[in-house]
Amino acid sequence: MSAALEPGWLKTLEAEFDKDYMKSLKAFLLKEKQEGQIVYPKNAEIFNAFQHTPFEEVKVVILGQDPYHGQGQAHGLSFSVQKGITVPPSLKNMYKELETDIPDFKTPAHGNLTQWADQGVLLLNATLTVRAQQPGSHQGKGWEIFTDSVIAELSAKKKGLIFLLWGRFAQNKSVLIDESRHTVLKAAHPSPFSAYNGFFGCRHFSTANAILEKEGKKPIDWQIT
């Protein structure tokens, strides 16, 4: 599995692939396949976030929890779905916030966020695989240990990152982040169940760009085309 990582990430995370939890995780995923379970995303896309956002280029981290569990949705980037798939409710609400936060932002016709990832936005889910139609089915199998180490390594080895932590699950990861080195922005989750409790109006997208510009970095073009 480690071969699927971009070289900078591979150098940073290589030791994780030799640990017992990762061996157990590999065995679990192999068993799922042998038992005929459908697992999303497909193997080639599990580490998509790391391929599109090299370690040296990370500027912003948006943390999700689980991949989408419907056919054709998940492709390895948190909150993102492939073109041709209905835009999920949480992402619709992210677009609504962008319309009020970023001048001239127009809601795209699709939900593929690869353009963000290619600009340095790490779209990281805590769990990187899921069984079809069974949300949370791959939680507690080892992925969280791996992605916690991703967050911890980013915190320790980089400076000036902006972490967007939406909802309690993501906010609990703040213990892994050195806030003297990085900016942590917290808000409610963009889900329809909570977006009106503090996600709408959080202005995280413009705030992130203002911080990047202040640090002499290129801001994110949040407009998806």
Side-chain angles (χ1 to χ4, degrees), residues 164-180:
L164 307 187
L165 305 184
W166 301 330
R168 189 173 299 154
F169 176 85
Q171 289 166 17
N172 287 342
K173 301 293 184 180
S174 63
V175 297
L176 302 166
I177 303 162
D178 181 350
E179 294 190 42
S180 71

Side-chain angles (χ1 to χ4, degrees), residues 175-202:
V175 297
L176 302 166
I177 303 162
D178 181 350
E179 294 190 42
S180 71
R181 296 167 60 88
H182 307 283
T183 301
V184 174
L185 302 178
K186 297 178 180 179
H189 195 277
S191 156
F193 299 107
S194 56
Y196 286 96
N197 294 330
F199 179 76
F200 290 136
C202 71

Side-chain angles (χ1 to χ4, degrees), residues 28-202:
F28 167 74
L29 291 172
L30 187 61
K31 187 165 180 276
E32 289 280 86
K33 194 173 181 180
Q34 288 170 343
E35 291 177 354
Q37 298 292 347
I38 298 170
V39 172
Y40 299 132
K42 59 187 180 185
N43 280 356
E45 294 177 333
I46 291 173
F47 293 103
N48 234 2
F50 303 93
Q51 292 289 14
H52 282 280
T53 314
F55 184 79
E56 293 303 326
E57 295 174 23
V58 179
K59 296 177 180 177
V60 178
V61 181
I62 298 180
L63 189 65
Q65 187 166 1
D66 223 29
Y68 296 117
H69 54 86
Q71 185 176 358
Q73 289 182 305
H75 65 124
L77 305 177
S78 64
F79 293 101
S80 179
V81 291
Q82 302 189 71
K83 287 183 179 178
I85 299 294
T86 302
V87 177
S90 290
L91 182 51
K92 278 184 182 173
N93 285 339
M94 288 162 65
Y95 287 164
K96 281 183 188 175
E97 173 62 17
L98 278 156
E99 281 195 331
T100 63
D101 187 25
I102 300 293
D104 301 322
F105 180 88
K106 300 281 191 298
T107 289
H110 64 85
N112 189 314
L113 304 180
T114 301
Q115 285 174 267
W116 292 1
D118 289 341
Q119 295 178 76
V121 182
L122 182 66
L123 297 166
L124 180 68
N125 277 319
T127 305
L128 298 188
T129 56
V130 69
R131 192 183 290 178
Q133 308 305 329
Q134 294 185 41
S137 49
H138 285 187
Q139 290 176 8
K141 304 298 183 184
W143 278 129
E144 295 91 339
I145 303 172
F146 177 74
T147 53
D148 279 1
S149 72
V150 169
I151 297 167
E153 289 288 340
L154 284 168
S155 176
K157 293 183 177 171
K158 295 186 73 71
K159 201 169 184 185
L161 298 182
I162 303 158
F163 290 84
L164 307 187
L165 305 184
W166 301 330
R168 189 173 299 154
F169 176 85
Q171 289 166 17
N172 287 342
K173 301 293 184 180
S174 63
V175 297
L176 302 166
I177 303 162
D178 181 350
E179 294 190 42
S180 71
R181 296 167 60 88
H182 307 283
T183 301
V184 174
L185 302 178
K186 297 178 180 179
H189 195 277
S191 156
F193 299 107
S194 56
Y196 286 96
N197 294 330
F199 179 76
F200 290 136
C202 71

